[in-house]
Amino acid sequence: MKRLRAGEELVLTDGRGHWAPCAVLSAEGKDRLTVEVTAAYEDPAPTPRITVVQALPKGDRGELAVEIMTETGVDAIVPWAASRCVTQWKGDRGAKSLAKWRATAREAGKQSRRTRFPEVADAMTTKQVAAFLATADFAAVLHEDRNHKSDALATAEVPTEGDIVLVVGPEGGVSPEELAAFAEAGAQPYRLGPSVLRTSTAGTAATALLLGRTGRWS
């Protein structure tokens, strides 16, 4: 607001696909802006829809993960309380952490000039994540164990429409019990490459890969 001047152009959006180019008529103080809207548009929802189930990282790495996934183009983020997560969201702390994730997604959406900001769902348990995976058209667990016989995500057959869900485990990895529960729901383990990415960056790398492969970045 402080930097805007009369005559400048900007885009207003509700974060749900609606946007309008407009011209600034006047800016008063910190919270009053008068604009002239010249048109209004609605961007269609992108397809396939990509959701990342993100295990809770330590410290501020959760907000970092949300920020860069939003800038990359993820459509939804699900916080996941995995068994090996050091961080646990409980009570007021959990509510505050969830609010930070949602605020980060909103601000990163503005910064990257998105008209649709990613949805940040309530935190899920492993059982809830498994049920969610069962509804996806393609579901993958990003598995970092090089001894695990998992296929490369770069060569997987992925749909060009529908719902894609990626699961990113915690720094300690996805437990065998969680892998079994997700496999039963139809989500198989996949690897990104020979190197091991941190939980705060794996979701971004996988999202970018799929955005390119499904044509959304074409």
Side-chain angles (χ1 to χ4, degrees):
M1 288 284 291
K2 292 182 179 179
R3 293 178 293 179
L4 291 174
R5 298 289 184 271
E8 291 189 64
E9 297 181 349
L10 74 157
V11 172
L12 300 179
T13 180
D14 61 359
R16 297 184 178 88
H18 302 92
W19 62 280
C22 56
V24 177
L25 299 180
S26 64
E28 303 173 25
K30 298 180 179 180
D31 56 4
R32 184 174 180 81
L33 186 69
T34 303
V35 301
E36 179 184 18
V37 176
T38 56
Y41 305 95
E42 181 179 2
D43 288 337
T47 187
R49 176 181 169 87
I50 300 176
T51 299
V52 172
V53 176
Q54 174 67 58
L56 306 178
K58 295 182 291 185
D60 61 357
R61 287 191 170 274
E63 288 97 273
L64 173 63
V66 171
E67 180 179 29
I68 56 179
M69 283 193 289
T70 298
E71 292 174 357
T72 303
V74 74
D75 300 299
I77 300 167
V78 178
W80 170 38
S83 63
R84 293 178 177 174
C85 285
V86 174
T87 299
Q88 295 293 328
W89 287 2
K90 296 180 180 179
D92 290 341
R93 178 182 179 182
K96 289 179 180 178
S97 297
L98 179 59
K100 284 183 179 179
W101 281 34
R102 287 173 171 165
T104 299
R106 183 173 61 252
E107 294 307 313
K110 295 177 185 177
Q111 180 66 36
S112 54
R113 300 181 184 180
R114 291 182 57 169
T115 61
R116 287 184 180 272
F117 303 160
E119 302 170 14
V120 179
D122 292 339
M124 289 188 184
T125 63
T126 296
K127 183 177 181 180
Q128 290 171 324
V129 169
F132 179 58
L133 293 173
T135 67
D137 295 286
F138 176 83
V141 182
L142 303 183
H143 199 278
E144 80 292 345
D145 187 355
R146 8 174 121 232
N147 296 320
H148 196 285
K149 294 182 179 180
S150 52
D151 295 329
L153 186 62
T155 58
E157 292 187 14
V158 294
T160 55
E161 56 184 33
D163 291 300
I164 294 176
V165 181
L166 303 171
V167 178
V168 178
E171 299 290 355
V174 183
S175 72
E177 294 78 15
E178 290 164 341
L179 281 173
F182 296 160
E184 188 175 349
Q188 298 302 315
Y190 288 88
R191 55 184 167 81
L192 281 172
S195 61
V196 176
L197 300 181
R198 301 199 69 163
T199 184
S200 54
T201 55
T204 296
T207 296
L209 173 65
L210 293 180
L211 287 172
R213 292 200 59 212
T214 59
R216 281 184 51 177
W217 270 4
S218 61

Short mmCIF file of all heavy atoms in Angstrom, two decimals, residues 30-79:
data_model
loop_
_atom_site.label_atom_id
_atom_site.label_comp_id
_atom_site.label_asym_id
_atom_site.label_seq_id
_atom_site.Cartn_x
_atom_site.Cartn_y
_atom_site.Cartn_z
N LYS A 30 -2.38 3.50 5.28
CA LYS A 30 -1.94 2.12 5.14
C LYS A 30 -3.02 1.18 4.65
O LYS A 30 -2.72 0.06 4.23
CB LYS A 30 -1.41 1.60 6.49
CG LYS A 30 -0.20 2.36 7.03
CD LYS A 30 0.22 1.76 8.36
CE LYS A 30 1.45 2.49 8.91
NZ LYS A 30 1.87 1.91 10.21
N ASP A 31 -4.29 1.61 4.75
CA ASP A 31 -5.34 0.64 4.50
C ASP A 31 -6.49 1.16 3.64
O ASP A 31 -7.58 0.59 3.66
CB ASP A 31 -5.89 0.13 5.83
CG ASP A 31 -6.38 1.25 6.74
OD1 ASP A 31 -6.36 2.42 6.29
OD2 ASP A 31 -6.76 0.96 7.88
N ARG A 32 -6.26 2.21 2.90
CA ARG A 32 -7.34 2.70 2.03
C ARG A 32 -6.80 2.90 0.62
O ARG A 32 -5.85 3.65 0.40
CB ARG A 32 -7.92 4.01 2.56
CG ARG A 32 -9.12 4.50 1.74
CD ARG A 32 -9.76 5.72 2.37
NE ARG A 32 -10.89 6.20 1.60
CZ ARG A 32 -12.13 5.69 1.64
NH1 ARG A 32 -12.37 4.67 2.45
NH2 ARG A 32 -13.09 6.18 0.91
N LEU A 33 -7.44 2.21 -0.33
CA LEU A 33 -7.00 2.26 -1.72
C LEU A 33 -8.24 2.37 -2.61
O LEU A 33 -9.19 1.61 -2.47
CB LEU A 33 -6.24 0.98 -2.06
CG LEU A 33 -5.59 0.90 -3.44
CD1 LEU A 33 -4.43 1.87 -3.54
CD2 LEU A 33 -5.09 -0.53 -3.69
N THR A 34 -8.22 3.34 -3.50
CA THR A 34 -9.32 3.51 -4.44
C THR A 34 -8.81 3.16 -5.83
O THR A 34 -7.78 3.68 -6.28
CB THR A 34 -9.83 4.97 -4.44
OG1 THR A 34 -10.23 5.33 -3.11
CG2 THR A 34 -11.02 5.12 -5.38
N VAL A 35 -9.53 2.23 -6.49
CA VAL A 35 -9.08 1.77 -7.81
C VAL A 35 -10.24 1.81 -8.80
O VAL A 35 -11.41 1.86 -8.42
CB VAL A 35 -8.53 0.33 -7.73
CG1 VAL A 35 -7.35 0.25 -6.77
CG2 VAL A 35 -9.62 -0.65 -7.33
N GLU A 36 -9.88 1.77 -10.06
CA GLU A 36 -10.85 1.65 -11.14
C GLU A 36 -10.66 0.30 -11.80
O GLU A 36 -9.58 0.01 -12.34
CB GLU A 36 -10.65 2.76 -12.18
CG GLU A 36 -11.63 2.65 -13.34
CD GLU A 36 -11.38 3.69 -14.42
OE1 GLU A 36 -10.27 4.27 -14.44
OE2 GLU A 36 -12.29 3.93 -15.23
N VAL A 37 -11.68 -0.54 -11.72
CA VAL A 37 -11.61 -1.87 -12.31
C VAL A 37 -12.04 -1.78 -13.76
O VAL A 37 -13.12 -1.26 -14.08
CB VAL A 37 -12.52 -2.86 -11.54
CG1 VAL A 37 -12.52 -4.21 -12.22
CG2 VAL A 37 -12.06 -2.98 -10.10
N THR A 38 -11.20 -2.29 -14.63
CA THR A 38 -11.48 -2.19 -16.07
C THR A 38 -12.09 -3.46 -16.66
O THR A 38 -12.68 -3.42 -17.74
CB THR A 38 -10.19 -1.86 -16.83
OG1 THR A 38 -9.19 -2.86 -16.52
CG2 THR A 38 -9.64 -0.50 -16.40
N ALA A 39 -11.93 -4.60 -15.98
CA ALA A 39 -12.48 -5.86 -16.48
C ALA A 39 -12.40 -6.88 -15.34
O ALA A 39 -11.77 -6.63 -14.32
CB ALA A 39 -11.72 -6.36 -17.70
N ALA A 40 -13.06 -8.02 -15.53
CA ALA A 40 -13.02 -9.09 -14.53
C ALA A 40 -12.94 -10.42 -15.24
O ALA A 40 -13.60 -10.63 -16.28
CB ALA A 40 -14.25 -9.03 -13.63
N TYR A 41 -12.14 -11.33 -14.69
CA TYR A 41 -11.91 -12.62 -15.33
C TYR A 41 -11.93 -13.74 -14.28
O TYR A 41 -11.83 -13.49 -13.08
CB TYR A 41 -10.55 -12.63 -16.05
CG TYR A 41 -10.37 -11.53 -17.05
CD1 TYR A 41 -9.74 -10.34 -16.69
CD2 TYR A 41 -10.82 -11.67 -18.35
CE1 TYR A 41 -9.56 -9.31 -17.61
CE2 TYR A 41 -10.65 -10.65 -19.29
CZ TYR A 41 -10.02 -9.47 -18.91
OH TYR A 41 -9.86 -8.46 -19.81
N GLU A 42 -12.04 -14.95 -14.77
CA GLU A 42 -11.93 -16.13 -13.90
C GLU A 42 -11.07 -17.18 -14.60
O GLU A 42 -11.39 -17.60 -15.70
CB GLU A 42 -13.30 -16.72 -13.57
CG GLU A 42 -13.20 -17.93 -12.65
CD GLU A 42 -14.55 -18.53 -12.28
OE1 GLU A 42 -15.58 -18.01 -12.78
OE2 GLU A 42 -14.58 -19.50 -11.51
N ASP A 43 -9.98 -17.57 -13.95
CA ASP A 43 -9.13 -18.63 -14.49
C ASP A 43 -9.72 -19.98 -14.11
O ASP A 43 -10.12 -20.19 -12.96
CB ASP A 43 -7.72 -18.52 -13.92
CG ASP A 43 -6.97 -17.33 -14.50
OD1 ASP A 43 -7.33 -16.87 -15.59
OD2 ASP A 43 -6.02 -16.85 -13.85
N PRO A 44 -9.78 -20.91 -15.05
CA PRO A 44 -10.31 -22.24 -14.72
C PRO A 44 -9.38 -22.97 -13.76
O PRO A 44 -8.17 -22.70 -13.72
CB PRO A 44 -10.36 -22.95 -16.08
CG PRO A 44 -9.32 -22.25 -16.90
CD PRO A 44 -9.35 -20.82 -16.46
N ALA A 45 -9.92 -23.87 -12.99
CA ALA A 45 -9.10 -24.67 -12.09
C ALA A 45 -8.15 -25.53 -12.90
O ALA A 45 -8.57 -26.17 -13.88
CB ALA A 45 -9.98 -25.55 -11.21
N PRO A 46 -6.87 -25.55 -12.56
CA PRO A 46 -5.91 -26.33 -13.35
C PRO A 46 -6.14 -27.83 -13.17
O PRO A 46 -6.67 -28.28 -12.14
CB PRO A 46 -4.56 -25.92 -12.77
CG PRO A 46 -4.86 -25.46 -11.38
CD PRO A 46 -6.22 -24.84 -11.44
N THR A 47 -5.77 -28.57 -14.17
CA THR A 47 -5.89 -30.02 -14.11
C THR A 47 -4.66 -30.66 -14.75
O THR A 47 -4.16 -30.13 -15.74
CB THR A 47 -7.18 -30.51 -14.79
OG1 THR A 47 -7.35 -31.91 -14.58
CG2 THR A 47 -7.18 -30.22 -16.26
N PRO A 48 -4.14 -31.73 -14.19
CA PRO A 48 -4.61 -32.39 -12.97
C PRO A 48 -4.32 -31.55 -11.73
O PRO A 48 -3.39 -30.75 -11.71
CB PRO A 48 -3.80 -33.69 -12.95
CG PRO A 48 -2.53 -33.33 -13.64
CD PRO A 48 -2.93 -32.38 -14.73
N ARG A 49 -5.11 -31.76 -10.72
CA ARG A 49 -4.94 -31.07 -9.44
C ARG A 49 -3.86 -31.83 -8.64
O ARG A 49 -3.95 -33.04 -8.48
CB ARG A 49 -6.26 -31.07 -8.69
CG ARG A 49 -6.21 -30.46 -7.28
CD ARG A 49 -7.59 -30.55 -6.67
NE ARG A 49 -7.59 -30.24 -5.25
CZ ARG A 49 -7.69 -29.01 -4.74
NH1 ARG A 49 -7.80 -27.98 -5.58
NH2 ARG A 49 -7.69 -28.81 -3.44
N ILE A 50 -2.86 -31.09 -8.15
CA ILE A 50 -1.75 -31.71 -7.42
C ILE A 50 -1.80 -31.31 -5.95
O ILE A 50 -1.77 -30.13 -5.61
CB ILE A 50 -0.40 -31.31 -8.03
CG1 ILE A 50 -0.31 -31.77 -9.48
CG2 ILE A 50 0.75 -31.91 -7.21
CD1 ILE A 50 0.96 -31.35 -10.20
N THR A 51 -1.90 -32.32 -5.10
CA THR A 51 -1.90 -32.11 -3.65
C THR A 51 -0.66 -32.76 -3.06
O THR A 51 -0.31 -33.87 -3.43
CB THR A 51 -3.15 -32.75 -3.01
OG1 THR A 51 -4.33 -32.12 -3.54
CG2 THR A 51 -3.14 -32.58 -1.49
N VAL A 52 -0.01 -32.06 -2.14
CA VAL A 52 1.13 -32.63 -1.43
C VAL A 52 0.76 -32.83 0.03
O VAL A 52 0.33 -31.89 0.71
CB VAL A 52 2.38 -31.72 -1.52
CG1 VAL A 52 3.49 -32.25 -0.61
CG2 VAL A 52 2.87 -31.64 -2.96
N VAL A 53 0.87 -34.07 0.49
CA VAL A 53 0.71 -34.38 1.91
C VAL A 53 2.09 -34.22 2.54
O VAL A 53 3.00 -35.00 2.26
CB VAL A 53 0.18 -35.82 2.10
CG1 VAL A 53 0.11 -36.16 3.59
CG2 VAL A 53 -1.19 -35.98 1.45
N GLN A 54 2.24 -33.18 3.35
CA GLN A 54 3.54 -32.80 3.88
C GLN A 54 3.68 -33.17 5.35
O GLN A 54 2.94 -32.67 6.20
CB GLN A 54 3.74 -31.29 3.71
CG GLN A 54 4.99 -30.72 4.35
CD GLN A 54 6.25 -31.21 3.66
OE1 GLN A 54 6.42 -31.01 2.45
NE2 GLN A 54 7.13 -31.84 4.42
N ALA A 55 4.62 -34.07 5.65
CA ALA A 55 4.90 -34.40 7.05
C ALA A 55 5.42 -33.14 7.75
O ALA A 55 6.09 -32.31 7.14
CB ALA A 55 5.92 -35.51 7.14
N LEU A 56 5.12 -33.02 9.03
CA LEU A 56 5.47 -31.81 9.77
C LEU A 56 6.98 -31.71 9.99
O LEU A 56 7.55 -32.54 10.71
CB LEU A 56 4.76 -31.80 11.13
CG LEU A 56 3.24 -31.99 11.10
CD1 LEU A 56 2.69 -31.99 12.52
CD2 LEU A 56 2.58 -30.89 10.27
N PRO A 57 7.65 -30.70 9.40
CA PRO A 57 9.09 -30.55 9.61
C PRO A 57 9.38 -29.83 10.93
O PRO A 57 8.48 -29.30 11.58
CB PRO A 57 9.55 -29.69 8.42
CG PRO A 57 8.35 -29.59 7.51
CD PRO A 57 7.16 -29.78 8.38
N LYS A 58 10.65 -29.79 11.27
CA LYS A 58 11.07 -29.08 12.48
C LYS A 58 11.19 -27.59 12.20
O LYS A 58 11.48 -27.17 11.08
CB LYS A 58 12.42 -29.61 12.97
CG LYS A 58 12.39 -31.06 13.43
CD LYS A 58 13.75 -31.49 13.93
CE LYS A 58 14.77 -31.59 12.81
NZ LYS A 58 16.07 -32.12 13.28
N GLY A 59 10.99 -26.78 13.25
CA GLY A 59 11.21 -25.35 13.16
C GLY A 59 10.37 -24.68 12.10
O GLY A 59 9.19 -24.99 11.91
N ASP A 60 11.02 -23.74 11.39
CA ASP A 60 10.29 -22.98 10.38
C ASP A 60 10.37 -23.61 9.00
O ASP A 60 10.00 -22.99 8.00
CB ASP A 60 10.82 -21.54 10.32
CG ASP A 60 12.30 -21.47 9.96
OD1 ASP A 60 12.92 -22.54 9.81
OD2 ASP A 60 12.82 -20.34 9.85
N ARG A 61 10.84 -24.84 8.92
CA ARG A 61 10.94 -25.49 7.61
C ARG A 61 9.57 -25.83 7.03
O ARG A 61 9.43 -26.05 5.84
CB ARG A 61 11.80 -26.75 7.70
CG ARG A 61 13.27 -26.44 7.85
CD ARG A 61 14.16 -27.66 7.68
NE ARG A 61 15.56 -27.27 7.60
CZ ARG A 61 16.17 -26.91 6.48
NH1 ARG A 61 15.51 -26.88 5.35
NH2 ARG A 61 17.43 -26.56 6.48
N GLY A 62 8.56 -25.87 7.88
CA GLY A 62 7.21 -26.08 7.39
C GLY A 62 6.75 -24.91 6.54
O GLY A 62 6.21 -25.08 5.44
N GLU A 63 6.97 -23.69 7.05
CA GLU A 63 6.60 -22.51 6.28
C GLU A 63 7.43 -22.40 5.00
O GLU A 63 6.93 -21.97 3.96
CB GLU A 63 6.79 -21.23 7.11
CG GLU A 63 5.76 -21.06 8.22
CD GLU A 63 6.27 -21.54 9.56
OE1 GLU A 63 6.11 -22.76 9.83
OE2 GLU A 63 6.80 -20.74 10.32
N LEU A 64 8.71 -22.80 5.08
CA LEU A 64 9.56 -22.80 3.88
C LEU A 64 9.00 -23.73 2.82
O LEU A 64 8.92 -23.38 1.64
CB LEU A 64 10.98 -23.22 4.25
CG LEU A 64 11.95 -23.42 3.07
CD1 LEU A 64 12.16 -22.11 2.32
CD2 LEU A 64 13.28 -23.99 3.56
N ALA A 65 8.60 -24.93 3.24
CA ALA A 65 8.04 -25.90 2.30
C ALA A 65 6.76 -25.35 1.65
O ALA A 65 6.58 -25.44 0.44
CB ALA A 65 7.74 -27.21 3.01
N VAL A 66 5.89 -24.77 2.46
CA VAL A 66 4.64 -24.20 1.94
C VAL A 66 4.93 -23.07 0.96
O VAL A 66 4.31 -22.97 -0.10
CB VAL A 66 3.76 -23.70 3.10
CG1 VAL A 66 2.55 -22.92 2.56
CG2 VAL A 66 3.28 -24.86 3.95
N GLU A 67 5.89 -22.23 1.31
CA GLU A 67 6.22 -21.08 0.46
C GLU A 67 6.69 -21.51 -0.93
O GLU A 67 6.18 -21.04 -1.95
CB GLU A 67 7.29 -20.23 1.13
CG GLU A 67 7.70 -19.01 0.32
CD GLU A 67 8.76 -18.18 1.02
OE1 GLU A 67 9.56 -18.75 1.79
OE2 GLU A 67 8.78 -16.96 0.80
N ILE A 68 7.67 -22.40 -0.97
CA ILE A 68 8.23 -22.76 -2.28
C ILE A 68 7.30 -23.68 -3.07
O ILE A 68 7.27 -23.61 -4.30
CB ILE A 68 9.64 -23.37 -2.14
CG1 ILE A 68 9.65 -24.58 -1.22
CG2 ILE A 68 10.62 -22.33 -1.65
CD1 ILE A 68 11.02 -25.23 -1.09
N MET A 69 6.50 -24.49 -2.40
CA MET A 69 5.51 -25.28 -3.13
C MET A 69 4.45 -24.38 -3.75
O MET A 69 4.00 -24.60 -4.87
CB MET A 69 4.86 -26.31 -2.21
CG MET A 69 5.73 -27.53 -1.93
SD MET A 69 4.85 -28.90 -1.16
CE MET A 69 4.55 -28.28 0.49
N THR A 70 4.05 -23.34 -3.02
CA THR A 70 3.07 -22.38 -3.55
C THR A 70 3.64 -21.66 -4.76
O THR A 70 2.97 -21.52 -5.79
CB THR A 70 2.69 -21.36 -2.47
OG1 THR A 70 2.07 -22.04 -1.37
CG2 THR A 70 1.71 -20.33 -3.02
N GLU A 71 4.88 -21.19 -4.66
CA GLU A 71 5.50 -20.49 -5.79
C GLU A 71 5.62 -21.40 -7.01
O GLU A 71 5.51 -20.95 -8.15
CB GLU A 71 6.88 -19.98 -5.37
CG GLU A 71 6.84 -18.88 -4.33
CD GLU A 71 8.21 -18.49 -3.82
OE1 GLU A 71 9.21 -19.13 -4.25
OE2 GLU A 71 8.30 -17.56 -3.00
N THR A 72 5.82 -22.69 -6.76
CA THR A 72 5.98 -23.64 -7.86
C THR A 72 4.66 -23.94 -8.55
O THR A 72 4.60 -24.08 -9.77
CB THR A 72 6.59 -24.95 -7.35
OG1 THR A 72 7.84 -24.66 -6.71
CG2 THR A 72 6.84 -25.94 -8.48
N GLY A 73 3.56 -24.05 -7.78
CA GLY A 73 2.27 -24.26 -8.40
C GLY A 73 1.41 -25.36 -7.80
O GLY A 73 0.43 -25.78 -8.42
N VAL A 74 1.74 -25.85 -6.60
CA VAL A 74 0.92 -26.89 -5.99
C VAL A 74 -0.48 -26.34 -5.72
O VAL A 74 -0.67 -25.14 -5.48
CB VAL A 74 1.57 -27.39 -4.67
CG1 VAL A 74 1.41 -26.37 -3.55
CG2 VAL A 74 1.00 -28.72 -4.25
N ASP A 75 -1.48 -27.21 -5.77
CA ASP A 75 -2.88 -26.78 -5.62
C ASP A 75 -3.41 -26.93 -4.20
O ASP A 75 -4.34 -26.21 -3.81
CB ASP A 75 -3.77 -27.58 -6.57
CG ASP A 75 -3.36 -27.37 -8.02
OD1 ASP A 75 -3.41 -26.23 -8.49
OD2 ASP A 75 -2.95 -28.36 -8.67
N ALA A 76 -2.87 -27.86 -3.44
CA ALA A 76 -3.34 -28.07 -2.07
C ALA A 76 -2.22 -28.71 -1.25
O ALA A 76 -1.38 -29.43 -1.79
CB ALA A 76 -4.59 -28.94 -2.05
N ILE A 77 -2.23 -28.41 0.04
CA ILE A 77 -1.23 -28.94 0.96
C ILE A 77 -1.95 -29.52 2.18
O ILE A 77 -2.85 -28.88 2.73
CB ILE A 77 -0.25 -27.84 1.41
CG1 ILE A 77 0.48 -27.24 0.19
CG2 ILE A 77 0.76 -28.38 2.43
CD1 ILE A 77 1.23 -25.96 0.50
N VAL A 78 -1.56 -30.73 2.55
CA VAL A 78 -2.16 -31.39 3.72
C VAL A 78 -1.07 -31.64 4.76
O VAL A 78 -0.16 -32.44 4.51
CB VAL A 78 -2.81 -32.74 3.32
CG1 VAL A 78 -3.37 -33.43 4.57
CG2 VAL A 78 -3.90 -32.53 2.28
N PRO A 79 -1.11 -30.98 5.90
CA PRO A 79 -0.15 -31.28 6.97
C PRO A 79 -0.40 -32.68 7.51
O PRO A 79 -1.55 -33.08 7.73
CB PRO A 79 -0.45 -30.21 8.04
CG PRO A 79 -1.29 -29.18 7.35
CD PRO A 79 -2.04 -29.90 6.29
#
